[in-house]
Amino acid sequence: MLVVRTLPKRLVICALSLQLLYLPVDATAAEKLNAAEAARLLQQASFGPTLSDIQAAGQFTAEQWIDWQLSMPATTHADKIETLPEQKTPVPLSRLETWWRIALTAPDQLRQRVAFALSEILVVSDQGNGLNNRVIALANYYDLLLAHSFGNYRELLQQVTLSPVMGVYLSHLGNQKADVANNIRPDENYARELMQLFTIGLYQLNPDGSKKLDAADNPIPTYDQQAIEGFARVFTGWTSAGTTNFLKPKADYLRPMIPFAAYHEPGEKRLLNGVVLPAGQTPQQDLQQALDLLFAEPSLPPFISQQLIQKLVTSNPSPAYVGRVTQVFIDNGQGVRGDLAAVVKAILLDEEARSGFAGVARPFGKIREPLLKTAHSWRVTQSASPSGHIYLRTLADSHNQAPLQSPSVFNFYRPDFSPSASLQQAGLVAPELQMLTASNALNMQNHLYSQTVGSIEGLVANPSQFQMLARFQPFADVLQHQGLNVLLDQFGLLAFGGAMPAELRLILTDLASGLGNITPAQKAAYLWYFILISPQYAVQQ
């Protein structure tokens, strides 16, 4: 059994000391982000602001901070997965622990946050498909997303298409040409989801993300059944790398799939907009041309751009915002289409992202995903377990989500989900609310209580070796020596990227006065807990 590396006792440390090699040129005092501006940027571009990260970001402009993050190498997952005590091989919990450790501590926060967003667009999952115990393979897929988070979307599409994990998940690994006598037909699964979810969506889009309409004001489909069948033929003849027998492949979950021409559909393939791939091409030629065709489709830039805006900044971006980012997706300023680094930078630097829709009559912000709530709280409180491990065995119960564990290829929630008639009539969506159930809401509230009030470092008698202990002493010191108002200012900065909403501040002030004879650390923990479960904190703005 492998020796398990024990983390330092304090899990979350100042990111500045980890990133010195990547610091940008200093900004003038007038250009630097103030504390509120830095905190808001970190809400959108990291797994949650901490006081040290806010201080570090405050040395630079928003653009400099983003460039700093873009310059960092990826903190990868597959090479850091460890075999847990009493296990002979890595188990699913090993992968989740690695994800948490990196989300909480990695210096390349922007890349990690973007990869998380991509994992909810280019979905694979270990649920119900034989991938559950392919721990390293799933982490390797996540590393693929990390590697291409700031690369080109066309190259990412190719790597995802040839990933054996995706090949198993959407069943195009081992996909064969038609054989009517043996009742074999090309599998349409990946062909359909590639178009519907990974590239162009169900309906043609204008550059601003709105649907194109026909003469009768109906949305125009992007593809039809004939195109699904054509793309299904394209993705035939691919199987595990290193195998010599297509029908009995040797499993390889790490290297890109390889083609077998004898099992590739030899006939022509009718795709989109009248495009027909000629008969007799190699599997490689068909794949390249099919992906090139999808990549060139006008609906792809707004379809992907809008989803990335939704996952990082706001659920209901204005058409103008989507249009500006779409234009960068189409051309990064140097004639390059699909430059994700440029797209991410455009999303975060857009006037609406930085100003919060000031002057725009449209609701701004997004519902915080449960994973992001826990990650943020643990980062703020520098939470760590005595053993250095992060074991969340009931993650799905409390959070209703876990990395690469969505119930289907449609992710934990749909980007167009709108939970109420009033929102639907207003043309608004709240995607993350699709995960919310009554039991999940209660479980999450209990989880947050146990991770704050129930896990104060120094006050828990005989903590288990895996209990995450929250360091509230720094906040207790503020409360004791500087007073409640200063502490609420700090919490407001961390939770809301600026001033705490006045109504919530009044409630917390009353709460603090009625908490009775408890320690300052307990009082700080109660205040932070009530912020975490407040409706104001539920929305990232």
Side-chain angles (χ1 to χ4, degrees), residues 338-365:
D339 178 356
L340 288 176
V343 169
V344 169
K345 191 171 183 178
I347 289 171
L348 295 174
L349 290 181
D350 191 87
E351 60 193 55
E352 294 181 16
R354 302 279 43 87
S355 66
F357 273 131
V360 178
R362 195 171 180 85
F364 181 82

PDB file of all heavy atoms in Angstrom, residues 338-365:
ATOM      1  N   GLY A 338     -11.879  30.813 -30.946  1.00  0.00           N
ATOM      2  CA  GLY A 338     -11.939  29.807 -29.893  1.00  0.00           C
ATOM      3  C   GLY A 338     -10.859  29.893 -28.844  1.00  0.00           C
ATOM      4  O   GLY A 338     -10.632  28.916 -28.111  1.00  0.00           O
ATOM      5  N   ASP A 339     -10.191  31.028 -28.703  1.00  0.00           N
ATOM      6  CA  ASP A 339      -9.133  31.217 -27.706  1.00  0.00           C
ATOM      7  C   ASP A 339      -9.783  31.384 -26.330  1.00  0.00           C
ATOM      8  O   ASP A 339     -10.287  32.454 -25.989  1.00  0.00           O
ATOM      9  CB  ASP A 339      -8.296  32.443 -28.072  1.00  0.00           C
ATOM     10  CG  ASP A 339      -7.197  32.744 -27.070  1.00  0.00           C
ATOM     11  OD1 ASP A 339      -7.110  32.050 -26.038  1.00  0.00           O
ATOM     12  OD2 ASP A 339      -6.427  33.693 -27.314  1.00  0.00           O
ATOM     13  N   LEU A 340      -9.757  30.325 -25.518  1.00  0.00           N
ATOM     14  CA  LEU A 340     -10.467  30.363 -24.246  1.00  0.00           C
ATOM     15  C   LEU A 340      -9.835  31.333 -23.255  1.00  0.00           C
ATOM     16  O   LEU A 340     -10.543  31.910 -22.421  1.00  0.00           O
ATOM     17  CB  LEU A 340     -10.538  28.959 -23.645  1.00  0.00           C
ATOM     18  CG  LEU A 340     -11.498  27.991 -24.349  1.00  0.00           C
ATOM     19  CD1 LEU A 340     -11.416  26.609 -23.724  1.00  0.00           C
ATOM     20  CD2 LEU A 340     -12.930  28.510 -24.302  1.00  0.00           C
ATOM     21  N   ALA A 341      -8.525  31.509 -23.306  1.00  0.00           N
ATOM     22  CA  ALA A 341      -7.901  32.497 -22.417  1.00  0.00           C
ATOM     23  C   ALA A 341      -8.464  33.884 -22.692  1.00  0.00           C
ATOM     24  O   ALA A 341      -8.794  34.634 -21.766  1.00  0.00           O
ATOM     25  CB  ALA A 341      -6.383  32.483 -22.597  1.00  0.00           C
ATOM     26  N   ALA A 342      -8.586  34.221 -23.961  1.00  0.00           N
ATOM     27  CA  ALA A 342      -9.141  35.525 -24.331  1.00  0.00           C
ATOM     28  C   ALA A 342     -10.610  35.619 -23.940  1.00  0.00           C
ATOM     29  O   ALA A 342     -11.087  36.675 -23.495  1.00  0.00           O
ATOM     30  CB  ALA A 342      -8.966  35.763 -25.827  1.00  0.00           C
ATOM     31  N   VAL A 343     -11.348  34.521 -24.091  1.00  0.00           N
ATOM     32  CA  VAL A 343     -12.770  34.507 -23.741  1.00  0.00           C
ATOM     33  C   VAL A 343     -12.955  34.699 -22.237  1.00  0.00           C
ATOM     34  O   VAL A 343     -13.778  35.513 -21.793  1.00  0.00           O
ATOM     35  CB  VAL A 343     -13.426  33.192 -24.214  1.00  0.00           C
ATOM     36  CG1 VAL A 343     -14.829  33.036 -23.630  1.00  0.00           C
ATOM     37  CG2 VAL A 343     -13.481  33.142 -25.735  1.00  0.00           C
ATOM     38  N   VAL A 344     -12.198  33.967 -21.435  1.00  0.00           N
ATOM     39  CA  VAL A 344     -12.302  34.095 -19.981  1.00  0.00           C
ATOM     40  C   VAL A 344     -11.941  35.512 -19.553  1.00  0.00           C
ATOM     41  O   VAL A 344     -12.615  36.109 -18.700  1.00  0.00           O
ATOM     42  CB  VAL A 344     -11.393  33.059 -19.292  1.00  0.00           C
ATOM     43  CG1 VAL A 344     -11.271  33.351 -17.807  1.00  0.00           C
ATOM     44  CG2 VAL A 344     -11.939  31.650 -19.516  1.00  0.00           C
ATOM     45  N   LYS A 345     -10.909  36.054 -20.147  1.00  0.00           N
ATOM     46  CA  LYS A 345     -10.497  37.417 -19.808  1.00  0.00           C
ATOM     47  C   LYS A 345     -11.591  38.415 -20.181  1.00  0.00           C
ATOM     48  O   LYS A 345     -11.906  39.334 -19.406  1.00  0.00           O
ATOM     49  CB  LYS A 345      -9.194  37.754 -20.531  1.00  0.00           C
ATOM     50  CG  LYS A 345      -8.518  39.024 -20.077  1.00  0.00           C
ATOM     51  CD  LYS A 345      -7.131  39.154 -20.705  1.00  0.00           C
ATOM     52  CE  LYS A 345      -6.408  40.379 -20.206  1.00  0.00           C
ATOM     53  NZ  LYS A 345      -5.032  40.491 -20.775  1.00  0.00           N
ATOM     54  N   ALA A 346     -12.201  38.225 -21.336  1.00  0.00           N
ATOM     55  CA  ALA A 346     -13.291  39.114 -21.763  1.00  0.00           C
ATOM     56  C   ALA A 346     -14.485  39.013 -20.815  1.00  0.00           C
ATOM     57  O   ALA A 346     -15.124  40.022 -20.493  1.00  0.00           O
ATOM     58  CB  ALA A 346     -13.706  38.776 -23.190  1.00  0.00           C
ATOM     59  N   ILE A 347     -14.793  37.805 -20.367  1.00  0.00           N
ATOM     60  CA  ILE A 347     -15.906  37.611 -19.432  1.00  0.00           C
ATOM     61  C   ILE A 347     -15.667  38.374 -18.140  1.00  0.00           C
ATOM     62  O   ILE A 347     -16.550  39.084 -17.640  1.00  0.00           O
ATOM     63  CB  ILE A 347     -16.102  36.109 -19.145  1.00  0.00           C
ATOM     64  CG1 ILE A 347     -16.672  35.395 -20.376  1.00  0.00           C
ATOM     65  CG2 ILE A 347     -17.029  35.902 -17.937  1.00  0.00           C
ATOM     66  CD1 ILE A 347     -16.692  33.883 -20.255  1.00  0.00           C
ATOM     67  N   LEU A 348     -14.465  38.244 -17.591  1.00  0.00           N
ATOM     68  CA  LEU A 348     -14.185  38.821 -16.280  1.00  0.00           C
ATOM     69  C   LEU A 348     -13.928  40.318 -16.321  1.00  0.00           C
ATOM     70  O   LEU A 348     -14.171  41.018 -15.328  1.00  0.00           O
ATOM     71  CB  LEU A 348     -12.993  38.106 -15.651  1.00  0.00           C
ATOM     72  CG  LEU A 348     -13.218  36.633 -15.319  1.00  0.00           C
ATOM     73  CD1 LEU A 348     -11.931  35.996 -14.827  1.00  0.00           C
ATOM     74  CD2 LEU A 348     -14.328  36.453 -14.281  1.00  0.00           C
ATOM     75  N   LEU A 349     -13.428  40.821 -17.454  1.00  0.00           N
ATOM     76  CA  LEU A 349     -13.133  42.254 -17.546  1.00  0.00           C
ATOM     77  C   LEU A 349     -14.288  43.061 -18.119  1.00  0.00           C
ATOM     78  O   LEU A 349     -14.225  44.289 -18.155  1.00  0.00           O
ATOM     79  CB  LEU A 349     -11.883  42.480 -18.401  1.00  0.00           C
ATOM     80  CG  LEU A 349     -10.558  42.029 -17.799  1.00  0.00           C
ATOM     81  CD1 LEU A 349      -9.407  42.334 -18.757  1.00  0.00           C
ATOM     82  CD2 LEU A 349     -10.302  42.683 -16.445  1.00  0.00           C
ATOM     83  N   ASP A 350     -15.329  42.380 -18.568  1.00  0.00           N
ATOM     84  CA  ASP A 350     -16.452  43.110 -19.156  1.00  0.00           C
ATOM     85  C   ASP A 350     -17.029  44.104 -18.160  1.00  0.00           C
ATOM     86  O   ASP A 350     -17.055  43.874 -16.944  1.00  0.00           O
ATOM     87  CB  ASP A 350     -17.542  42.130 -19.594  1.00  0.00           C
ATOM     88  CG  ASP A 350     -18.599  42.809 -20.440  1.00  0.00           C
ATOM     89  OD1 ASP A 350     -18.407  42.890 -21.668  1.00  0.00           O
ATOM     90  OD2 ASP A 350     -19.611  43.278 -19.866  1.00  0.00           O
ATOM     91  N   GLU A 351     -17.505  45.208 -18.665  1.00  0.00           N
ATOM     92  CA  GLU A 351     -18.024  46.280 -17.812  1.00  0.00           C
ATOM     93  C   GLU A 351     -19.149  45.793 -16.914  1.00  0.00           C
ATOM     94  O   GLU A 351     -19.298  46.256 -15.775  1.00  0.00           O
ATOM     95  CB  GLU A 351     -18.510  47.440 -18.685  1.00  0.00           C
ATOM     96  CG  GLU A 351     -19.629  47.058 -19.654  1.00  0.00           C
ATOM     97  CD  GLU A 351     -19.876  48.124 -20.706  1.00  0.00           C
ATOM     98  OE1 GLU A 351     -18.927  48.505 -21.402  1.00  0.00           O
ATOM     99  OE2 GLU A 351     -21.042  48.548 -20.825  1.00  0.00           O
ATOM    100  N   GLU A 352     -19.953  44.836 -17.391  1.00  0.00           N
ATOM    101  CA  GLU A 352     -21.054  44.345 -16.572  1.00  0.00           C
ATOM    102  C   GLU A 352     -20.558  43.419 -15.462  1.00  0.00           C
ATOM    103  O   GLU A 352     -21.107  43.412 -14.360  1.00  0.00           O
ATOM    104  CB  GLU A 352     -22.094  43.651 -17.445  1.00  0.00           C
ATOM    105  CG  GLU A 352     -22.786  44.627 -18.383  1.00  0.00           C
ATOM    106  CD  GLU A 352     -23.855  43.986 -19.253  1.00  0.00           C
ATOM    107  OE1 GLU A 352     -24.284  42.856 -18.934  1.00  0.00           O
ATOM    108  OE2 GLU A 352     -24.264  44.611 -20.244  1.00  0.00           O
ATOM    109  N   ALA A 353     -19.516  42.642 -15.725  1.00  0.00           N
ATOM    110  CA  ALA A 353     -18.940  41.800 -14.685  1.00  0.00           C
ATOM    111  C   ALA A 353     -18.329  42.646 -13.588  1.00  0.00           C
ATOM    112  O   ALA A 353     -18.457  42.344 -12.393  1.00  0.00           O
ATOM    113  CB  ALA A 353     -17.891  40.869 -15.287  1.00  0.00           C
ATOM    114  N   ARG A 354     -17.663  43.711 -13.955  1.00  0.00           N
ATOM    115  CA  ARG A 354     -16.963  44.528 -12.972  1.00  0.00           C
ATOM    116  C   ARG A 354     -17.890  45.532 -12.270  1.00  0.00           C
ATOM    117  O   ARG A 354     -17.628  45.931 -11.151  1.00  0.00           O
ATOM    118  CB  ARG A 354     -15.789  45.276 -13.626  1.00  0.00           C
ATOM    119  CG  ARG A 354     -14.775  44.346 -14.282  1.00  0.00           C
ATOM    120  CD  ARG A 354     -13.768  43.721 -13.324  1.00  0.00           C
ATOM    121  NE  ARG A 354     -14.245  43.220 -12.063  1.00  0.00           N
ATOM    122  CZ  ARG A 354     -14.730  41.980 -11.869  1.00  0.00           C
ATOM    123  NH1 ARG A 354     -14.806  41.135 -12.899  1.00  0.00           N
ATOM    124  NH2 ARG A 354     -15.134  41.589 -10.691  1.00  0.00           N
ATOM    125  N   SER A 355     -18.965  45.935 -12.950  1.00  0.00           N
ATOM    126  CA  SER A 355     -19.843  46.925 -12.331  1.00  0.00           C
ATOM    127  C   SER A 355     -21.108  46.315 -11.757  1.00  0.00           C
ATOM    128  O   SER A 355     -21.839  46.976 -11.019  1.00  0.00           O
ATOM    129  CB  SER A 355     -20.231  48.000 -13.359  1.00  0.00           C
ATOM    130  OG  SER A 355     -21.029  47.427 -14.393  1.00  0.00           O
ATOM    131  N   GLY A 356     -21.399  45.047 -12.078  1.00  0.00           N
ATOM    132  CA  GLY A 356     -22.603  44.416 -11.562  1.00  0.00           C
ATOM    133  C   GLY A 356     -23.863  44.950 -12.199  1.00  0.00           C
ATOM    134  O   GLY A 356     -24.844  45.224 -11.512  1.00  0.00           O
ATOM    135  N   PHE A 357     -23.852  45.116 -13.522  1.00  0.00           N
ATOM    136  CA  PHE A 357     -25.030  45.577 -14.256  1.00  0.00           C
ATOM    137  C   PHE A 357     -25.474  46.965 -13.832  1.00  0.00           C
ATOM    138  O   PHE A 357     -26.654  47.294 -13.853  1.00  0.00           O
ATOM    139  CB  PHE A 357     -26.207  44.621 -14.088  1.00  0.00           C
ATOM    140  CG  PHE A 357     -26.229  43.500 -15.076  1.00  0.00           C
ATOM    141  CD1 PHE A 357     -26.394  42.202 -14.659  1.00  0.00           C
ATOM    142  CD2 PHE A 357     -26.078  43.730 -16.418  1.00  0.00           C
ATOM    143  CE1 PHE A 357     -26.426  41.147 -15.551  1.00  0.00           C
ATOM    144  CE2 PHE A 357     -26.102  42.689 -17.328  1.00  0.00           C
ATOM    145  CZ  PHE A 357     -26.275  41.403 -16.897  1.00  0.00           C
ATOM    146  N   ALA A 358     -24.546  47.780 -13.413  1.00  0.00           N
ATOM    147  CA  ALA A 358     -24.914  49.148 -13.056  1.00  0.00           C
ATOM    148  C   ALA A 358     -25.571  49.829 -14.245  1.00  0.00           C
ATOM    149  O   ALA A 358     -25.016  49.882 -15.337  1.00  0.00           O
ATOM    150  CB  ALA A 358     -23.675  49.927 -12.622  1.00  0.00           C
ATOM    151  N   GLY A 359     -26.773  50.306 -14.043  1.00  0.00           N
ATOM    152  CA  GLY A 359     -27.481  51.000 -15.117  1.00  0.00           C
ATOM    153  C   GLY A 359     -28.188  50.096 -16.095  1.00  0.00           C
ATOM    154  O   GLY A 359     -28.799  50.570 -17.049  1.00  0.00           O
ATOM    155  N   VAL A 360     -28.120  48.763 -15.875  1.00  0.00           N
ATOM    156  CA  VAL A 360     -28.787  47.819 -16.778  1.00  0.00           C
ATOM    157  C   VAL A 360     -29.984  47.227 -16.051  1.00  0.00           C
ATOM    158  O   VAL A 360     -29.847  46.692 -14.946  1.00  0.00           O
ATOM    159  CB  VAL A 360     -27.822  46.697 -17.224  1.00  0.00           C
ATOM    160  CG1 VAL A 360     -28.539  45.707 -18.125  1.00  0.00           C
ATOM    161  CG2 VAL A 360     -26.618  47.302 -17.940  1.00  0.00           C
ATOM    162  N   ALA A 361     -31.142  47.340 -16.653  1.00  0.00           N
ATOM    163  CA  ALA A 361     -32.371  46.885 -16.002  1.00  0.00           C
ATOM    164  C   ALA A 361     -32.511  45.370 -16.155  1.00  0.00           C
ATOM    165  O   ALA A 361     -33.351  44.857 -16.877  1.00  0.00           O
ATOM    166  CB  ALA A 361     -33.585  47.590 -16.610  1.00  0.00           C
ATOM    167  N   ARG A 362     -31.656  44.629 -15.460  1.00  0.00           N
ATOM    168  CA  ARG A 362     -31.677  43.169 -15.537  1.00  0.00           C
ATOM    169  C   ARG A 362     -31.045  42.616 -14.261  1.00  0.00           C
ATOM    170  O   ARG A 362     -30.007  43.099 -13.812  1.00  0.00           O
ATOM    171  CB  ARG A 362     -30.905  42.689 -16.764  1.00  0.00           C
ATOM    172  CG  ARG A 362     -31.149  41.235 -17.149  1.00  0.00           C
ATOM    173  CD  ARG A 362     -30.495  40.954 -18.498  1.00  0.00           C
ATOM    174  NE  ARG A 362     -30.692  39.582 -18.923  1.00  0.00           N
ATOM    175  CZ  ARG A 362     -31.766  39.135 -19.570  1.00  0.00           C
ATOM    176  NH1 ARG A 362     -32.747  39.976 -19.842  1.00  0.00           N
ATOM    177  NH2 ARG A 362     -31.863  37.887 -19.943  1.00  0.00           N
ATOM    178  N   PRO A 363     -31.649  41.615 -13.642  1.00  0.00           N
ATOM    179  CA  PRO A 363     -31.076  41.067 -12.403  1.00  0.00           C
ATOM    180  C   PRO A 363     -29.656  40.563 -12.638  1.00  0.00           C
ATOM    181  O   PRO A 363     -29.363  39.943 -13.662  1.00  0.00           O
ATOM    182  CB  PRO A 363     -32.024  39.913 -12.057  1.00  0.00           C
ATOM    183  CG  PRO A 363     -33.300  40.249 -12.742  1.00  0.00           C
ATOM    184  CD  PRO A 363     -32.917  40.960 -14.007  1.00  0.00           C
ATOM    185  N   PHE A 364     -28.790  40.818 -11.680  1.00  0.00           N
ATOM    186  CA  PHE A 364     -27.391  40.429 -11.810  1.00  0.00           C
ATOM    187  C   PHE A 364     -27.027  39.392 -10.753  1.00  0.00           C
ATOM    188  O   PHE A 364     -27.517  39.451  -9.623  1.00  0.00           O
ATOM    189  CB  PHE A 364     -26.485  41.655 -11.632  1.00  0.00           C
ATOM    190  CG  PHE A 364     -25.019  41.338 -11.774  1.00  0.00           C
ATOM    191  CD1 PHE A 364     -24.435  41.248 -13.022  1.00  0.00           C
ATOM    192  CD2 PHE A 364     -24.235  41.106 -10.657  1.00  0.00           C
ATOM    193  CE1 PHE A 364     -23.097  40.942 -13.161  1.00  0.00           C
ATOM    194  CE2 PHE A 364     -22.894  40.799 -10.780  1.00  0.00           C
ATOM    195  CZ  PHE A 364     -22.317  40.720 -12.042  1.00  0.00           C
ATOM    196  N   GLY A 365     -26.180  38.470 -11.113  1.00  0.00           N
ATOM    197  CA  GLY A 365     -25.660  37.489 -10.174  1.00  0.00           C
ATOM    198  C   GLY A 365     -26.089  36.078 -10.520  1.00  0.00           C
ATOM    199  O   GLY A 365     -26.787  35.832 -11.511  1.00  0.00           O
TER     200      GLY A 365
END
